[in-house]
Amino acid sequence: MKRAIISDIHSNLEALEAVLQDIEDQGVNEIYCLGDTVGYGPNPIECIELVRKKVAVCLLGNHDQASLFDPEGFNNSAEKAIFWTREQLENPRIHSANERWDFLNGLPRIHREDDFLYVHGSPRNPLNEYVFQDDIYNEQRMEKLFSVVPKYSFQGHTHVPGIFTEDREFYAPDELNWRYTLGEKKAMINVGSVGQPRDRDPRACYIILEGDTIAYRRVEYPLEATIEKIIPIPELDNYLGQRLREGK
Ligand code: ZN
């Protein structure tokens, strides 16, 4: 049984299509998505349609929530993109806008299966909390986070892939040779971002979970095509495209 776990697609259709192709090539049985299907990128409708078709479990991310309700705590560039995204989602020309709203509205904030917890942000604040590498030095914070991890937590949100263990270590995927075996230690696994990686590797990122083994996958996609779509849309800052080249 192979499960792909993807997150933070951010309306990047080229990245999503490349990842779905890779997932198919890897013989994956099912796909979970940890949220932020929309926001920042130029193809929110197409990404939602694909996720609805292909993903078995999909969570609500903070950008998805902001598109549904009011954006709070976003910078100017992200907020403009959210209002533009909302306009697109209301466009009745492509399928039913109501169906899309129903889909987004129905997304859960957490998903739990035995020892496995799935969230967008963090185990204690599933929508909005960022857990970064430097947080390992904050003993109290890590203790609190791990106290709500059943055994393993899968998360996204920071767009930086890596594994936090309960003994307050952080491992970037390349340090692990792109593989990690789940063991006795509790772990929080950040699966990285499909559509806007921020670990200075511009390739789309996701993981495949098979038994107790996690494999990080990096997938090249035609990012110049995504950038070319972003540039002419005034509500999407050019920077949102340019950063895709550097993966930051
Ligand atoms: Zn995100």
Side-chain angles (χ1 to χ4, degrees):
M1 175 73 184
K2 283 187 176 184
R3 175 178 301 157
I5 307 173
I6 64 177
S7 189
D8 296 272
I9 296 162
H10 284 296
S11 306
N12 185 335
L13 183 61
E14 288 73 25
L16 177 58
E17 285 177 337
V19 161
L20 289 175
Q21 184 60 55
D22 192 67
I23 284 172
E24 202 182 307
D25 296 345
Q26 296 297 314
V28 165
N29 309 88
E30 64 180 2
I31 308 172
Y32 285 11
C33 174
L34 306 183
D36 276 5
T37 301
V38 301
Y40 296 133
N43 288 108
I45 291 182
E46 294 79 0
C47 289
I48 287 184
E49 298 294 332
L50 261 180
V51 163
R52 281 175 64 187
K53 222 187 292 172
K54 304 273 185 183
V55 169
V57 172
C58 184
L59 302 181
L60 185 74
N62 58 315
H63 284 255
D64 307 318
Q65 190 203 37
S67 306
L68 276 168
F69 305 108
D70 276 322
E72 252 177 65
F74 288 88
N75 65 38
N76 191 347
S77 163
E79 191 178 281
K80 269 197 303 182
I82 283 162
F83 286 126
W84 178 84
T85 298
R86 184 181 299 177
E87 254 175 61
Q88 306 310 304
L89 295 181
E90 281 168 354
N91 185 343
R93 277 183 298 122
I94 312 174
H95 303 284
S96 150
N98 281 343
E99 264 181 44
R100 274 194 293 276
W101 289 125
D102 288 348
F103 169 74
L104 284 176
N105 216 358
L107 297 178
R109 285 151 196 257
I110 57 168
H111 179 72
R112 167 111 191 239
E113 286 171 23
D114 306 318
D115 284 345
F116 296 80
L117 178 71
Y118 298 86
V119 292
H120 177 68
S122 89
R124 65 175 177 177
N125 182 340
L127 219 53
N128 287 307
E129 184 177 17
Y130 293 92
V131 186
F132 283 109
Q133 175 172 2
D134 281 354
D135 293 320
I136 59 171
Y137 304 111
N138 186 336
E139 190 173 346
Q140 215 183 7
R141 182 149 175 228
M142 288 312 263
E143 241 167 54
K144 281 205 177 120
L145 285 166
F146 273 106
S147 72
V148 278
V149 174
K151 190 91 198 256
Y152 313 113
S153 160
F154 293 88
Q155 55 208 58
H157 196 38
T158 63
H159 302 203
V160 180
I163 294 177
F164 301 83
T165 52
E166 64 181 328
D167 49 3
R168 296 199 290 127
E169 296 286 347
F170 174 82
Y171 303 96
D174 57 344
E175 290 178 291
L176 298 165
N177 212 9
W178 309 96
R179 267 176 190 275
Y180 180 78
T181 305
L182 298 171
E184 276 311 302
K185 283 182 206 164
K186 282 187 177 188
M188 293 189 288
I189 297 102
N190 193 308
V191 305
S193 168
V194 169
Q196 198 194 80
R198 293 182 195 156
D199 62 337
R200 299 189 177 266
D201 181 341
R203 295 174 297 172
C205 185
Y206 77 99
I207 67 158
I208 294 175
L209 172 68
E210 184 178 17
D212 58 2
T213 304
I214 288 164
Y216 275 93
R217 304 280 307 165
R218 297 309 288 242
V219 184
E220 278 191 43
Y221 72 94
L223 56 89
E224 292 301 329
T226 317
I227 297 169
E228 265 172 44
K229 290 179 187 171
I230 291 175
I231 302 293
I233 301 171
E235 293 88 345
L236 301 182
D237 285 350
N238 291 354
Y239 166 68
L240 295 175
Q242 286 150 4
R243 70 191 301 179
L244 298 177
R245 284 193 191 113
E246 289 157 68
K248 66 168 195 181

